[in-house]
Amino acid sequence: MIIAQTELDSFLKATNSAPHDLLGMHPAKKGRSQGVLVRAFLREAAACVVVDVTKGDEYPMEQLAAEGFFEVFIPKIKEVFAYELKTKFHNGETRQFRDPYSFLPMLGDLDLHLFNEGNDHRIYEKLGAHTRVINGVPGVSFAVWAPSAARVSVVGNFNHWDGRYFPMRTLGASGVWELFIPGLGEGELYKYEIYDRAGKIHLKTDPYGLYFEAPPNNASVVHNPRKYSWGDSAWIEQRRAKAGQLDQPMSVYEVHLGSWKRRAGAADELFSYRELAPMIADYVIEMGFTHIEIMPVAEHPFDGSWGYQVTGYFAPTQRFGTPQDFAFFVDHLHQRGIGVIMDWVPGHFPRDAFALAEFDGTHLYEHADPRQGAHMDWGTLIFNYGRNEVRCFLVANALAWMDLYHIDGLRVDAVASMLYLDYSRKEGEWIPNQYGGRENLEAIQFLRTTNDLVHHYFPGAVMIAEESTSFPGVSRPTKDGGLGFDYKWNMGWMNDTLRYFQKESAHRKFHQNDLSFGMLYQYSENFVTVFSHDEVVHGKQSLLFKMGAWHIAEKAANLRALYTHMWAWPGKKLLFMGCEFGQSREWNYAVSLDWHLLQYKDHDGIRLLVKDLNHLYRNEPVLSMNDFNSQGFRWINCSDTDASVMAYLRVDPFEENIFAIVGHFTPVIREGYRIGVPRKGFWREVLNTNSQHYGGSGLGNGGGLNAEDVEYDGHSQSLSVTLPPFSTTIFKWSAK
């Protein structure tokens, strides 16, 4: 026997960190004889023979341990040769296969160098599990980063989840472990068994896994997402042609795929990606939205997290089908002319023991100090953005969704929590940066890098920040000192506007500044005006029931007035599903939206209004391609607090198209209410939220008014308008 007993014992106990030094074929000497030594470790094997695949020669191996450790010295062979193992198992089965320990590493020195310095932008093609053909042999290559592990093994059904078999090799000081297993293919379930330096074993899913088994087992699944044949080249080319043109129509419908619509009579039965695609496309096209934003679809074990506690960052959730099915979903919407934005969650990750937390027995992806590495509010962990390999993981993840699934943009969740070290923390619960400040410099650099690389590799793709503070330059280019996002959610406008509309009409005159204050900072960022899912959960009530009125008809009228003000106000638009028809109850992720409400005019009227607002918005460039022009907005009057009336203009750069918007937010009828306008001529009433078509009384201005030579509001012309209760009216100037 050539192997030492202590070395064999170490291997059998699965504590050996260099399996390729023992297993496989190596040049060796036995006494004075030169040859090669072959060792194999095979589960449930009764006998094994080395077969020279070129010559057909066979060399029986000696079994050194009942667990399946075999060895043979082949003399008079100067170089290693291609071989297979012909194995007879205890059940009588005989199989012949290539030895996993006969293959060279799949990752080269440059790959490892780029990964360790955080600059491999396609690391998802190297780490993880990938089907490959090596020297004509099909199989799966596995690679995982676990620098503090003492031993890492690939486990799955193929080795009965026994970590003694298929231990991986570590590649130098990179911290990467690697193994190619011939004979495996797509659909194999696998995890990594990690033996840490404290002697504990961790069973982990693949951080770079591309597909996952459903809970509770949550195994990673070998999968090739590039098999899908895309048909959206025209869409991608159109997107590329508009790269950098941010002031384009963007009206976004935010969707949670699990609760948008479910099978009738079966609340727990979900539609698949392939079933949802045409249904959502039909509806979005009818409603006039330009994009959908899907709440996080990256794999997550807990439905109640809505997708915001991710355990499979590179994998579309299996809840609705395979990765190919998800690709079909995106492709179908693209071919129907609809953009797809996805929520992305790089700000935190859950503590689930099978995923990223303490991955190799140490705080690998997260900070060790809870003052840096834990979100107290959410019970989650914070990525260590200063660690090169972690930054590489996250940057590559953003790029992967656009590369593998043609996603048109990412809405980055909880950016404020990333920017500030003291986010939601008390004194003494956080650690200042190197300059003594509260800014998370490493997270800021990570965001800038990600935004720049997305724009570099995928022209026309957009990055959107959900950022709730006044951090400067969120949507300004990095070259100008900004974070490099294209857009920022306007959380201030949302909070102020909802606060106003939640008040009963008698009290609104004291809070008119809630409606006007937003214009002071409107052009400091490229804003998206939003009412998202966060506003209709956790006891906040639905948007309809937030309205400060006593019965549904008045609540609906208020909501129609609010939506029209929202669409007329500068900024791109986003509305959460169900809000477009005034769903009465709060959103519940576990059941379908209340589509039956559309039989009632109060609800269907809201939907019809949103549909008309979208089409007006998209057809009128002054409303949809003029959001970032500070000269495109002018107040007519925002100080008539007693009447709760506010009026403003939207104009194009050449002042050829002018819209006057008048909002009136009390229950009385105001006839002969005068507003100043800048032009003579006819002002056509293009939209009145009190129209009977929307469920109102029909009171309005008869389709339009001629301007009168009466000075008012600083203008030489004015209109004498009728203001219905709880209404917003839009007029468009015409020279005739």
Side-chain angles (χ1 to χ4, degrees):
M1 183 176 70
I2 296 177
I3 189 171
Q5 187 63 47
T6 55
E7 198 171 21
L8 178 59
D9 290 343
S10 170
F11 193 86
L12 296 176
K13 292 176 182 177
T15 59
N16 190 292
S17 61
H20 285 74
D21 291 349
L22 291 179
L23 301 180
M25 180 181 289
H26 303 274
K29 283 186 178 181
K30 188 174 184 180
R32 294 186 177 183
S33 179
Q34 179 71 41
V36 293
L37 179 67
V38 186
R39 295 195 185 107
F41 190 45
L42 306 165
R43 181 183 172 88
E44 298 178 350
C48 188
V49 173
V50 175
V51 179
D52 185 328
V53 297
T54 302
K55 300 178 181 179
D57 297 338
E58 297 187 357
Y59 305 95
M61 304 183 76
E62 178 185 0
Q63 185 168 1
L64 303 183
E67 291 87 346
F69 197 96
F70 294 85
E71 176 183 274
V72 62
F73 176 76
I74 305 173
K76 300 179 182 179
I77 302 292
K78 294 183 179 180
E79 296 182 352
V80 298
F81 56 85
Y83 69 96
E84 293 182 344
L85 300 173
K86 184 165 67 175
T87 304
K88 183 177 181 180
F89 296 92
H90 288 293
N91 63 4
E93 177 187 2
T94 298
R95 288 194 295 118
Q96 186 168 320
F97 50 86
R98 291 294 295 268
D99 185 0
Y101 298 91
S102 66
F103 294 88
L104 295 173
M106 299 296 103
L107 282 82
D109 291 341
L110 180 59
D111 297 322
L112 299 172
H113 173 77
L114 290 173
F115 172 61
N116 288 143
E117 71 174 14
N119 288 326
D120 193 327
H121 304 152
R122 301 175 77 95
I123 191 62
Y124 53 89
E125 296 181 334
K126 300 157 189 176
L127 297 189
H130 301 278
T131 55
R132 305 191 192 279
V133 177
I134 308 299
N135 298 329
V137 180
V140 177
S141 66
F142 297 89
V144 63
W145 180 55
S148 295
R151 187 261 303 164
V152 181
S153 298
V154 183
V155 294
N157 292 332
F158 44 84
N159 64 359
H160 299 271
W161 303 90
D162 189 336
R164 295 175 299 170
Y165 302 89
F166 297 133
M168 307 172 78
R169 68 173 141 215
T170 183
L171 300 179
S174 67
V176 174
W177 299 73
E178 183 266 353
L179 183 66
F180 176 74
I181 303 179
L184 298 187
E186 283 200 76
E188 290 283 1
L189 304 180
Y190 73 98
K191 290 185 180 181
Y192 296 114
E193 184 181 282
I194 298 176
Y195 180 70
D196 70 22
R197 298 191 183 278
K200 296 180 180 178
I201 290 179
H202 309 264
L203 194 60
K204 295 287 190 176
T205 53
D206 190 347
Y208 290 85
L210 297 168
Y211 188 30
F212 285 86
E213 182 188 26
N217 294 325
N218 303 298
S220 306
V221 182
V222 177
H223 193 81
N224 177 14
R226 294 201 184 275
K227 293 189 306 182
Y228 183 80
S229 179
W230 289 86
D232 64 347
S233 58
W235 170 269
I236 298 298
E237 184 55 39
Q238 178 189 43
R239 189 184 77 184
R240 179 187 294 272
K242 293 183 179 180
Q245 301 176 32
L246 297 180
D247 210 352
Q248 296 289 321
M250 177 182 283
S251 182
V252 184
Y253 186 55
E254 186 187 17
V255 177
H256 177 263
L257 294 179
S259 58
W260 181 71
K261 190 174 289 186
R262 295 194 176 197
R263 297 188 192 280
D268 291 329
E269 190 173 351
L270 302 173
F271 285 110
S272 70
Y273 290 122
R274 290 180 181 267
E275 292 170 321
L276 285 168
M279 290 191 294
I280 290 178
D282 289 346
Y283 185 70
V284 167
I285 290 170
E286 177 194 357
M287 292 298 294
F289 290 100
T290 64
H291 295 71
I292 66 166
E293 178 182 307
I294 46 178
M295 290 169 67
V297 295
E299 192 58 81
H300 52 283
F302 178 44
D303 289 350
S305 78
W306 314 335
Y308 288 98
Q309 296 200 8
V310 179
T311 54
Y313 271 80
F314 290 82
T317 179
Q318 44 69 38
R319 288 168 174 79
F320 313 105
T322 68
Q324 271 74 29
D325 295 331
F326 179 67
F328 173 88
F329 176 87
V330 178
D331 193 19
H332 182 85
L333 267 70
H334 281 176
Q335 293 187 48
R336 302 284 299 277
I338 303 164
V340 181
I341 299 166
M342 190 185 88
D343 268 16
W344 186 49
V345 192
H348 63 117
F349 61 94
R351 297 174 182 266
D352 297 74
F354 66 84
L356 293 179
E358 297 184 33
F359 187 77
D360 61 356
T362 68
H363 297 280
L364 186 62
Y365 285 87
E366 69 273 24
H367 286 278
D369 192 325
R371 292 175 297 173
Q372 296 173 291
H375 268 307
M376 306 305 178
D377 291 349
W378 306 325
T380 53
L381 300 172
I382 301 172
F383 284 104
N384 184 347
Y385 305 106
R387 192 161 195 171
N388 291 344
E389 296 88 351
V390 174
R391 188 172 64 254
C392 191
F393 169 82
L394 288 171
V395 171
N397 183 240
L399 300 175
W401 286 104
M402 297 179 183
D403 175 23
L404 300 176
Y405 299 108
H406 295 200
I407 294 296
D408 298 294
L410 299 175
R411 174 267 194 187
V412 184
D413 179 61
V415 170
S417 75
M418 301 169 66
L419 295 178
Y420 297 104
L421 296 165
D422 64 344
Y423 180 84
S424 193
R425 296 176 188 272
K426 299 176 183 177
E427 188 69 31
E429 294 180 348
W430 60 283
I431 300 175
N433 63 35
Q434 59 182 322
Y435 303 110
R438 58 196 285 258
E439 296 80 12
N440 189 332
L441 303 179
E442 295 162 339
I444 290 169
Q445 187 56 48
F446 155 69
L447 290 170
R448 286 172 170 162
T449 298
T450 303
N451 289 330
D452 282 347
L453 289 173
V454 164
H455 295 140
H456 172 73
Y457 287 114
F458 302 100
V462 296
M463 297 294 287
I464 306 169
E466 185 223 7
E467 203 283 309
S468 55
T469 74
S470 57
F471 191 92
V474 171
S475 59
R476 297 294 177 255
T478 58
K479 64 181 178 61
D480 297 331
L483 291 184
F485 285 96
D486 298 293
Y487 304 103
K488 173 181 172 175
W489 273 19
N490 197 340
M491 313 290 279
W493 181 92
M494 175 194 71
N495 290 324
D496 291 347
T497 303
L498 286 179
R499 184 166 56 246
Y500 178 87
F501 275 89
Q502 283 177 294
K503 299 188 183 306
E504 294 183 24
S505 59
H507 301 290
R508 288 176 177 174
K509 63 182 178 180
F510 303 112
H511 302 277
Q512 186 120 331
N513 62 305
D514 283 341
L515 292 184
S516 59
F517 179 73
M519 190 47 61
L520 294 178
Y521 59 84
Q522 179 65 41
Y523 297 101
S524 63
E525 301 278 2
N526 300 335
F527 279 121
V528 181
T529 307
V530 299
F531 290 129
S532 75
H533 65 275
D534 280 327
E535 304 316 306
V536 294
V537 290
H538 298 323
K540 294 181 181 179
Q541 299 183 305
S542 67
L543 287 188
L544 181 68
F545 272 63
K546 286 181 191 290
M547 298 298 100
W550 287 100
H551 54 81
I552 294 296
E554 280 198 350
K555 286 182 179 293
N558 272 272
L559 194 56
R560 295 195 303 268
L562 168 57
Y563 284 164
T564 303
H565 168 55
M566 172 184 177
W567 257 259
W569 190 262
K572 307 310 171 188
K573 319 300 175 190
L574 179 140
L575 190 64
F576 182 58
M577 65 180 198
C579 297
E580 81 277 10
F581 60 80
Q583 176 154 305
S584 299
R585 62 180 175 87
E586 288 188 347
W587 169 57
N588 181 347
Y589 71 89
V591 298
S592 173
L593 295 178
D594 292 335
W595 294 102
H596 65 276
L597 292 176
L598 292 177
Q599 66 185 299
Y600 305 109
K601 191 63 178 179
D602 286 329
H603 296 277
D604 192 45
I606 297 171
R607 185 190 68 84
L608 292 170
L609 173 73
V610 171
K611 174 182 175 180
D612 287 351
L613 284 171
N614 272 329
H615 288 288
L616 177 67
Y617 169 78
R618 294 179 68 171
N619 292 331
E620 294 287 355
V622 70
L623 298 177
S624 57
M625 301 176 67
N626 197 35
D627 286 321
F628 309 142
N629 167 27
S630 62
Q631 302 302 311
F633 177 95
R634 299 176 195 171
W635 286 114
I636 295 175
N637 191 335
C638 62
S639 60
D640 190 356
T641 57
D642 287 339
S644 295
V645 173
M646 63 182 302
Y648 52 90
L649 300 172
R650 294 294 304 278
V651 302
D652 66 17
F654 306 102
E655 298 193 8
E656 294 177 351
N657 292 285
I658 306 175
F659 287 82
I661 298 91
V662 187
H664 171 228
F665 309 122
T666 73
V668 302
I669 298 171
R670 300 188 188 277
E671 296 180 334
Y673 189 92
R674 192 164 293 278
I675 64 166
V677 291
R679 294 285 176 85
K680 293 183 178 181
F682 184 70
W683 290 77
R684 182 165 59 90
E685 188 179 45
V686 296
L687 192 144
N688 176 3
T689 63
N690 191 51
S691 165
Q692 290 181 330
H693 182 61
Y694 306 134
S697 68
L699 179 67
N701 293 276
L705 299 167
N706 284 301
E708 302 174 6
D709 291 324
V710 177
E711 292 188 9
Y712 212 79
D713 293 327
H715 295 285
S716 60
Q717 306 291 315
S718 61
L719 302 175
S720 177
V721 301
T722 297
L723 299 181
F726 300 126
S727 65
T728 300
T729 308
I730 300 179
F731 297 92
K732 182 180 181 181
W733 171 74
S734 173
K736 297 180 181 180

